[in-house]
Amino acid sequence: MASFESVVEKAAIEWFQALGYAHASGIAIAPDGISPERGSYTDVFLRRRFHQTLQRINPNLGLDTLELVARSVLSPVTPSLVEQNQAVHRWLSRGVAVQTRKDGSVRGDHAWLLDFEHPERNDWLVVNQLTVVEGKHNRRPDLVVYVNGLPLAVIELKNPEDQNATLRSAWNQLQTYKTHIPTLFQTNEILAISDGTEAQVGSLTAGFERFGPWRTVDGEDLAPEGMPRLQVLIEGLFEKRRFLDYLRHFIFWEQGLQPIKKIAGYHQFHAVNKAVTATVRASAETGDRRIGVVWHTQGSGKSVSMVFYAGKMVLAPEMENPTLVVLTDRNDLDGQLFAQFAAAPDLVAGPVQAESREDLRDLLQVASGGVIFSTLQKFGTATGEQMPTLTERRNVVVIADEAHRSHYEFVEGFARNLRDALPNASYIGFTGTPIEADDRSTPAVFGDYIDTYTISQSVEDGATVPLYYEARLAKIDLPPEEKPRIDEEFEEVTENEEEERKAKLKSTWAKLEALVGSDKRLQLVAEDILAHWDRRREIIEGKAMIVCMSRRICADLYEELMRLRPELHSEEDEEGRLKVVYTGSSSDEPKLQKHVRNRPRQKLIEKRFKDPEDPLQLVIVRDMWLTGFDVPCAHTLYLDKPMKGHTLMQAIARVNRVFRDKPSGLVVDYLGLADQLRRAVGTYGGGAGERPGLPVEVALGVLEEKCGVVRDMFHGFDFSPYFVGAPSERLAALTAGANHVLGLPEGKKRYLDATAALNAAAGIALHLEGARHLRDQVGYFQAVRKNIVKYSTSGGGKGGEDVNAAIRQIVSGAIASEGVIDVFGAAGLARPDLSILSDEFLERVQKSPYRNLQIELLKKLLNDEIQAQGHRNVVQARKFSEMLERTLAAYQNRTLETAEVIQALIDMAKELRDAPKRGDELGLTEDELAFYDALTAHGDVKEVMGDQVLAAIAHDLVAAIRSSVTIDWTQKESVRATMRSKIKRLLRKHGYPPDKQAEAVITVIEQAEQVCREWGEAA
């Protein structure tokens, strides 16, 4: 293991020990270790610890019963890792159902695997370097966290000094472990990764993009910047009481076509616990029944947080089996939220959805318990009817989704009826947008904020992706009298109100709808959408939504798109690449009726659109799917509907979900909604209490200052073609700009530091009107920054997949509305699929005009190749690493000119590429060549002994070392001592110079540690 990686591992162990965990090394507790606790290298359970704690925390159960429990847990009931892990999670969180016999009768009971009430009764242990052998595979995770002898967490660490040892590579390592040693993960609840700088946590099934940081220890404040992120994660999540709480209430298997294990982010964990505490307070006899509002920005898992909250509430002893009423204001939202709860039976058993007013009343008149879903409208009454009191219990909690005055400000009759029906209920709101500054009714009903999680924090954490805005109004070339004008106080009309407004031909909405939906305009919009979408798809695969003002416009736009691209159309729901989704009735005219579907058909379209592999790419919507609808693979939203406020924020959030390497979401505006969007972001995008009127002049001044610092670094360089040139010229300006910066003294470091400061300022002030003139420049400076980072050796801890995403983002940001050109191609660096160091590629590098950029790229490629060969040949890797350092030092000292250093790097690349071929001439295998190099690395040994003798020694060395290798041999001093003796005897036998033998033995052992790992797997 690399030295600094060991430092990270030791620090992590110390942090665990400070929390009260015991520590053992994997070597010590191995079957042949000094304190064996495992029956074999295949056995991942610490059975003695498991049996002892099982008896300790279940004193009421007999040994025979506990033995049956142990067999169930420690012996897989299914070969499927997913199915076994689901079963184990239920046992861990809910106990194992058992039957006991007492006084001649059989009764049901539970055996608990964890003592949730008394953390000290559990057995807490962290093990480092645990070797697990399964089949032909031998793997050794860095840290495994055991509770009561069960491996509940695996932590993979990487060396922060190694540029290729990234979070992505740590995640990849965990995926390898899951494939090669799945037994270790049968009881797994948490996976964590760290590169020493950053640290993230995820579930058994989570993709890399779903791993996230843990940024607080106690949930009150974010950890200070100087505190190591791995320490924050360990102390914040693995503190004993918090970890038990997390295991019981904040993990569930979401049921669907493919079960997904979901775990809470730090913001969800702490928000839900605050909400539970507030609920107990508010619902008490002395409480005011106002629990509060949880504001977590859209896309950050609000619906899942509601599931966690409900799951913990139903088990809260103080609530005495409460009834939870989950309230929305639309049928489609009610269905979506109900589906989320129904998919989490681990936490919420048997939620029910009220089908009618009568059904709702029946459901609420139960003695206790239950999770009931309803729309606000189902609390309506017939004319003249008084809403009856359905229950006077205080343990009723009304959970309102999107708690805003526009939804719940005593809508005629409904809210009053809700109060009459449930006079002693307590109220909590979950919202993706904050309460408006002048809203008095929402706090009056629900209370103040319980917890907030803002857009910026969500993006910083990687819980959502950033959104980009693109205005396309100018592309719709119409005479002034035919252009729609969006009045500041325009009406917002729902689908159900359309016909009424159309009847009032002089209404503002009707006039605007006529202009927006004119045949001429829709033709232009359709043409532009198709052209724009073609270019977007060249950048990134995914889906898009088109939002229209009325159902009539939805239908007409569909017809226009079909006329232009007939291949998008299909009469069948199961086929076609474009669909329309809205509500309707049998009385609609045929043109509208053809797109109206019943619930099963709508569900089919929804399923297709959510499937990233399904050819359905585009949907046209009016209101449906604009709130509470998750399609992570959707990345573009075409807006052709007047919107404002939180409805606009909810709409654009459809494309802010994290998905694979999706770099951002794009909002494309055809109506000129920039002002509405800016106002909406100003109102709903900041932290709690942040409103327009803050001293933005200060932030704007900082932004102008930081922009000036970066601009000065481009003195003498013309980057104006980036803004006005053809696509190829714009991309060339990007590449040439990076090349220019890299040619400055300490250019890369100075530029990265300056643009980091600029980006921080831009995040605060770039949306301001006064910053408009800076936007293009900031965009260019950021694009150059990304270019430099991705081409250079200091890649910021990102893996290759992120590089691809960044390239697409650079293209997207530079020419999203003009065209797409391959970044490598524009720089003359088309990257071959196979031999990256081919003569053809190296020749192109030599001819490229971007010299400084090419030096950075060659450094990166050579470093990558050196590290790759270092896994097989220590001596050669060290030789080329030193050559590279000397060459670059000469360049930095200006003793080599640019052309000379490029030639030297190219010569080195060719020698490095051809180095493994030397074994063919000597008749040596790749392994034998590595040991041959280890023998010749000491003085004039090669000249004294000759190639043939050294080749014979190398051949014998491989045979001798292979026979000495055992599992974990690099960690066992006795095996290493035996190996050293064999090597010394071989060297003496063949007459290796005595004065060089000691150094040679060290080098050979070092080489063996690198090249012989797989030999131990077969031992």
Side-chain angles (χ1 to χ4, degrees), residues 921-997:
E921 302 171 2
L922 297 169
L924 297 175
T925 65
E926 185 178 6
D927 288 340
E928 291 168 345
L929 178 63
F931 285 99
Y932 168 87
D933 288 333
L935 294 169
T936 60
H938 305 284
D940 58 354
V941 169
K942 185 175 180 180
E943 288 74 17
V944 172
M945 301 194 67
D947 285 336
Q948 295 306 315
V949 175
L950 290 169
I953 301 175
H955 178 79
D956 290 349
L957 272 175
V958 169
I961 292 173
R962 186 185 290 271
S963 67
S964 300
V965 167
T966 62
I967 293 174
D968 278 347
W969 70 272
T970 59
Q971 308 293 313
K972 298 174 180 176
E973 184 53 38
S974 60
V975 178
R976 291 167 65 87
T978 300
M979 191 176 290
R980 282 195 294 270
S981 298
K982 286 187 177 182
I983 294 169
K984 290 176 182 177
R985 284 198 298 271
L986 266 174
L987 295 181
R988 286 196 296 268
K989 172 185 173 183
H990 288 278
Y992 196 89
D995 60 325
K996 307 292 185 185
Q997 285 184 15

Side-chain angles (χ1 to χ4, degrees), residues 209-210 262-263 265 267-268 295-305 340 401-402 430-433 453-467 626-632 634 646 649-659 662 684:
E209 74 280 0
R210 291 293 177 186
K262 290 194 171 181
I263 65 174
H267 62 290
Q268 296 170 308
W295 163 34
H296 283 190
T297 193
Q298 297 107 323
S300 63
K302 172 172 63 73
S303 297
V304 174
S305 295
Q340 178 67 77
D401 183 36
E402 292 304 333
F430 283 80
T431 177
T433 52
Y453 189 61
T454 64
I455 293 174
S456 58
Q457 194 174 341
S458 174
V459 171
E460 185 179 348
D461 290 348
T464 58
V465 299
L467 292 176
L626 292 186
T627 56
F629 184 70
D630 264 356
V631 184
H646 69 81
M649 292 297 290
Q650 288 169 340
I652 65 175
R654 296 316 99 202
V655 292
N656 78 342
R657 271 49 173 179
V658 172
F659 181 73
K662 171 177 156 185
Y684 300 108

Side-chain angles (χ1 to χ4, degrees), residues 593-845:
Q593 181 63 37
K594 64 186 292 186
H595 299 297
V596 177
R597 297 175 176 84
N598 59 23
R599 180 170 290 187
R601 292 180 62 201
Q602 279 188 359
K603 284 294 181 184
L604 174 60
I605 299 299
E606 178 181 329
K607 177 183 174 184
R608 290 191 60 203
F609 193 57
K610 288 184 174 182
D611 181 359
E613 309 305 324
D614 192 285
L616 176 58
Q617 298 173 356
L618 298 163
V619 293
I620 305 173
V621 302
R622 201 282 189 201
D623 282 344
M624 290 185 67
W625 292 6
L626 292 186
T627 56
F629 184 70
D630 264 356
V631 184
C633 58
H635 56 69
T636 304
L637 185 77
Y638 294 100
L639 271 183
D640 198 34
K641 172 186 176 180
M643 303 181 80
K644 62 183 178 181
H646 69 81
T647 55
L648 176 57
M649 292 297 290
Q650 288 169 340
I652 65 175
R654 296 316 99 202
V655 292
N656 78 342
R657 271 49 173 179
V658 172
F659 181 73
R660 295 178 185 168
D661 62 354
K662 171 177 156 185
S664 64
L666 180 65
V667 178
V668 182
D669 173 20
Y670 286 101
L671 279 178
L673 300 176
D675 287 342
Q676 284 79 11
L677 182 59
R678 187 175 64 254
R679 280 195 289 271
V681 170
T683 303
Y684 300 108
E690 292 181 9
R691 298 290 181 265
L694 291 173
V696 292
E697 294 81 9
V698 176
L700 183 58
V702 173
L703 175 60
E704 290 174 335
E705 175 195 344
K706 301 302 181 186
C707 196
V709 171
V710 178
R711 191 186 306 114
D712 288 346
M713 295 189 70
F714 287 93
H715 178 71
F717 178 83
D718 180 17
F719 53 80
S720 60
Y722 181 81
F723 309 115
V724 297
S728 58
E729 294 174 314
R730 299 178 72 183
L731 203 52
L734 178 65
T735 310
N739 186 67
H740 167 80
V741 168
L742 292 169
L744 300 173
E746 297 187 13
K748 183 170 70 173
K749 182 180 185 304
R750 288 169 50 210
Y751 189 79
L752 294 181
D753 290 345
T755 50
L758 171 63
N759 291 349
I764 300 172
L766 194 58
H767 66 282
L768 300 174
E769 284 296 322
R772 185 176 294 276
H773 66 289
L774 299 174
R775 290 181 183 179
D776 288 345
Q777 287 186 25
V778 171
Y780 174 73
F781 297 152
Q782 290 173 333
V784 170
R785 173 188 172 88
K786 292 176 182 175
N787 221 357
I788 290 173
V789 169
K790 299 312 168 188
Y791 280 120
S792 68
T793 56
S794 56
K798 302 257 180 146
E801 294 85 348
D802 296 298
V803 174
N804 296 334
I807 290 168
R808 283 197 291 271
Q809 183 59 56
I810 289 169
V811 175
S812 177
I815 49 177
S817 60
E818 298 298 337
V820 176
I821 302 293
D822 175 61
V823 170
F824 285 113
L829 292 173
R831 190 165 178 160
D833 290 335
L834 297 175
S835 177
I836 188 62
L837 298 179
S838 66
D839 289 336
E840 177 188 5
F841 176 78
L842 294 173
E843 184 179 350
R844 275 202 301 274
V845 171

Side-chain angles (χ1 to χ4, degrees), residues 302-315:
K302 172 172 63 73
S303 297
V304 174
S305 295
M306 295 171 74
V307 173
F308 289 133
Y309 170 76
K312 189 162 187 179
M313 279 308 310
V314 298
L315 295 179

Side-chain angles (χ1 to χ4, degrees), residues 269-464:
F269 175 74
H270 289 291
V272 167
N273 277 326
K274 292 175 186 176
V276 170
T277 300
T279 303
V280 173
R281 171 196 53 76
S283 62
E285 288 294 334
T286 57
D288 63 1
R289 297 182 287 127
R290 296 184 307 139
I291 301 169
V293 176
V294 175
W295 163 34
H296 283 190
T297 193
Q298 297 107 323
S300 63
K302 172 172 63 73
S303 297
V304 174
S305 295
M306 295 171 74
V307 173
F308 289 133
Y309 170 76
K312 189 162 187 179
M313 279 308 310
V314 298
L315 295 179
E318 302 92 337
M319 296 302 293
E320 299 176 340
N321 193 17
T323 296
L324 308 182
V325 181
V326 184
L327 202 61
T328 63
D329 70 338
R330 292 215 325 253
N331 285 330
D332 57 325
L333 296 181
D334 184 57
Q336 291 163 14
L337 199 53
F338 175 76
Q340 178 67 77
F341 274 65
D346 290 348
L347 294 178
V348 183
V352 292
Q353 194 171 19
E355 298 296 334
S356 64
R357 292 179 180 180
E358 293 72 22
D359 187 30
L360 174 63
R361 295 183 185 187
D362 291 340
L363 291 170
L364 286 172
Q365 287 177 315
V366 297
S368 64
V371 179
I372 302 167
F373 282 76
S374 174
T375 58
L376 185 61
Q377 289 75 11
K378 288 189 177 71
F379 281 90
T381 54
T383 304
E385 181 188 8
Q386 180 73 27
M387 187 71 181
T389 297
L390 301 179
T391 178
E392 294 184 348
R393 289 186 290 117
R394 293 191 69 90
N395 65 342
V396 176
V397 179
V398 175
I399 306 170
D401 183 36
E402 292 304 333
H404 283 283
R405 60 180 179 181
S406 57
H407 291 175
Y408 302 104
E409 189 188 8
F410 294 91
V411 180
E412 184 59 33
F414 298 147
R416 183 176 61 249
N417 290 344
L418 176 62
R419 293 288 183 162
D420 290 342
L422 308 171
N424 294 316
S426 297
Y427 290 78
I428 183 172
F430 283 80
T431 177
T433 52
I435 303 168
E436 292 91 335
D438 59 347
D439 181 359
R440 298 290 178 264
S441 57
T442 300
V445 173
F446 297 101
D448 294 323
Y449 287 122
I450 298 170
D451 193 71
T452 63
Y453 189 61
T454 64
I455 293 174
S456 58
Q457 194 174 341
S458 174
V459 171
E460 185 179 348
D461 290 348
T464 58

Side-chain angles (χ1 to χ4, degrees), residues 468-488:
Y468 288 81
Y469 168 83
E470 183 179 348
R472 303 290 293 179
L473 182 62
K475 302 294 182 181
I476 311 304
D477 190 14
L478 289 169
E481 67 274 8
E482 295 181 29
K483 290 184 177 181
R485 291 286 184 267
I486 308 301
D487 185 85
E488 185 173 335

